[in-house]
Amino acid sequence: MQLSSSDTLAWKGLMNNIKNMKATWGDSVAIEVVVHGPGIGLLMKEKTNQLDMIIDFKSKGVVFNVCENTLADRKISKESIIPEAGFVKSAVVEIILKQEQGWTYIKSGF
Amino acid sequence: MQLSSSDTLAWKGLMNNIKNMKATWGDSVAIEVVVHGPGIGLLMKEKTNQLDMIIDFKSKGVVFNVCENTLADRKISKESIIPEAGFVKSAVVEIILKQEQGWTYIKSGF
Amino acid sequence: MQLSSSDTLAWKGLMNNIKNMKATWGDSVAIEVVVHGPGIGLLMKEKTNQLDMIIDFKSKGVVFNVCENTLADRKISKESIIPEAGFVKSAVVEIILKQEQGWTYIKSGF
């Protein structure tokens, strides 16, 4: 799932999406969230309002990744990112690689 | 096709997309529109401004589905939904299932 | 890649996406940008603010296409479009055809 929106309603919607996927498929679904551009706030210590959900979903196997290109473009340090998140070099490259491996793509936001 | 926007220009754009697909492929294309989140207005009796198009497209085989999770989250009754629409339990689950069956994904909106 | 946004930050983000794909895969990646709806400004002479990047990417094989249905809907002439761009009859039809040929889909914007 791709998130590039800074809209906190989009963040809430993303959490609802994950909740619904987990309710349907439980541990048999693999979910990776990749944030980039203005969406990076979801995984920033000072900006996220979804930390409890993220911690809970991470404990259930959901992966949250930050785009390192976005960090560089916006001069955001890795220390600003919540420890529950991982990193990918480029969000768009990650999304393409995963689709080529057969993953399904969902773009979050409105 | 996924719609999660409340923007009526996005609704109009979605109708144009369907018109263009039908103009190209006629009855040989299967189209399903899944609305969720703020996009639900497109299929609400009191909010839609595209009812004529929806009725016409439905008569030509286009399927319009509402996310039941969105209904629950927003305390919207099924009676508020236009009779031309059907229901799916979760928009995101429906979109993933259809992609896994080989359907092509288009995210509407801007 | 699909662009339907008039937001110049989305245009800049799209250019960053292409830059990152080219940095990762060089000439071995095929990239086509299809603009429609409000996204058409990216490829209009009087509206684009990304012409240098577009010229550079085009020289490296990236394809930029405009939706002719959008031109007709908005009464925009082909002369208003930058000469680096090509045309497709319908953006949504082009995106579906490319996905059916195995291309990966990325929706730009937030």
Side-chain angles (χ1 to χ4, degrees):
Chain A
M1 304 188 75
Q2 175 188 13
L3 176 76
S4 56
S5 170
S6 62
D7 183 344
T8 55
L9 288 176
W11 300 358
K12 186 168 177 294
L14 174 60
M15 296 298 141
N16 278 340
N17 291 164
I18 298 174
K19 192 179 66 181
N20 293 334
M21 286 188 276
K22 295 299 276 183
T24 305
W25 291 305
D27 291 340
S28 69
V29 61
I31 304 171
E32 175 177 340
V33 176
V34 183
V35 308
H36 65 118
I40 196 168
L42 176 70
L43 300 179
M44 289 180 69
K45 289 174 186 169
E46 293 193 0
K47 293 203 176 169
T48 188
N49 62 354
Q50 297 292 340
L51 189 57
D52 289 349
M53 296 291 274
I54 292 169
I55 290 172
D56 181 46
F57 287 141
K58 186 182 158 81
S59 78
K60 291 168 179 158
V62 179
V63 172
F64 294 88
N65 278 331
V66 170
C67 173
E68 291 181 356
N69 283 316
T70 298
L71 293 179
D73 283 347
R74 295 175 177 246
K75 304 189 196 326
I76 296 169
S77 72
K78 285 194 174 182
E79 287 69 37
S80 309
I81 302 299
I82 60 172
E84 288 75 17
F87 299 91
V88 293
K89 206 169 165 201
S90 158
V92 71
V93 167
E94 174 73 6
I95 291 163
I96 291 170
L97 287 174
K98 282 285 158 64
Q99 286 194 63
E100 295 198 339
Q101 290 166 22
W103 288 56
T104 297
Y105 170 59
I106 299 277
K107 171 81 179 266
S108 288
F110 306 123
Chain B
M1 305 188 74
Q2 175 188 13
L3 176 77
S4 55
S5 170
S6 62
D7 183 345
T8 54
L9 289 175
W11 299 357
K12 186 170 177 294
L14 174 60
M15 295 299 139
N16 278 339
N17 291 164
I18 297 173
K19 192 179 63 179
N20 293 334
M21 286 188 276
K22 294 300 275 184
T24 304
W25 292 305
D27 290 341
S28 70
V29 61
I31 303 171
E32 175 177 339
V33 176
V34 183
V35 309
H36 65 118
I40 196 167
L42 175 69
L43 300 179
M44 288 178 69
K45 290 174 188 169
E46 294 194 0
K47 294 202 176 170
T48 189
N49 62 354
Q50 298 292 340
L51 189 58
D52 289 349
M53 296 291 273
I54 291 169
I55 289 172
D56 181 45
F57 288 141
K58 185 182 160 81
S59 77
K60 293 168 178 159
V62 179
V63 171
F64 295 88
N65 278 331
V66 169
C67 173
E68 291 181 355
N69 282 316
T70 298
L71 293 179
D73 283 347
R74 295 175 178 248
K75 305 189 197 325
I76 296 169
S77 72
K78 286 194 174 181
E79 287 68 39
S80 310
I81 302 298
I82 60 172
E84 289 75 17
F87 299 91
V88 293
K89 206 170 166 199
S90 157
V92 71
V93 167
E94 174 72 6
I95 291 163
I96 291 170
L97 287 173
K98 281 286 157 63
Q99 285 195 64
E100 296 199 337
Q101 290 166 22
W103 289 56
T104 297
Y105 170 59
I106 299 277
K107 170 80 180 268
S108 288
F110 307 123
Chain C
M1 303 187 76
Q2 175 189 12
L3 176 75
S4 54
S5 170
S6 62
D7 182 346
T8 56
L9 289 175
W11 299 358
K12 186 169 178 294
L14 174 60
M15 296 298 140
N16 279 339
N17 291 164
I18 297 174
K19 192 178 65 180
N20 293 333
M21 285 188 277
K22 295 300 275 183
T24 304
W25 291 305
D27 290 340
S28 69
V29 62
I31 303 172
E32 175 178 339
V33 176
V34 183
V35 309
H36 65 118
I40 196 168
L42 176 69
L43 300 179
M44 288 180 69
K45 290 173 186 170
E46 293 193 359
K47 293 204 176 168
T48 188
N49 61 355
Q50 297 292 339
L51 189 57
D52 290 350
M53 295 291 274
I54 291 169
I55 290 172
D56 181 47
F57 288 141
K58 186 182 159 80
S59 77
K60 292 168 179 158
V62 178
V63 172
F64 294 88
N65 279 331
V66 170
C67 173
E68 291 181 355
N69 283 315
T70 298
L71 293 179
D73 283 346
R74 294 174 179 248
K75 305 189 198 323
I76 296 170
S77 72
K78 285 195 175 181
E79 287 68 39
S80 310
I81 302 298
I82 60 172
E84 290 74 17
F87 298 92
V88 293
K89 205 168 164 201
S90 157
V92 70
V93 167
E94 175 73 6
I95 291 163
I96 291 169
L97 287 173
K98 280 287 156 63
Q99 285 195 65
E100 295 199 337
Q101 291 166 22
W103 289 56
T104 297
Y105 171 60
I106 299 278
K107 170 81 180 268
S108 287
F110 306 126

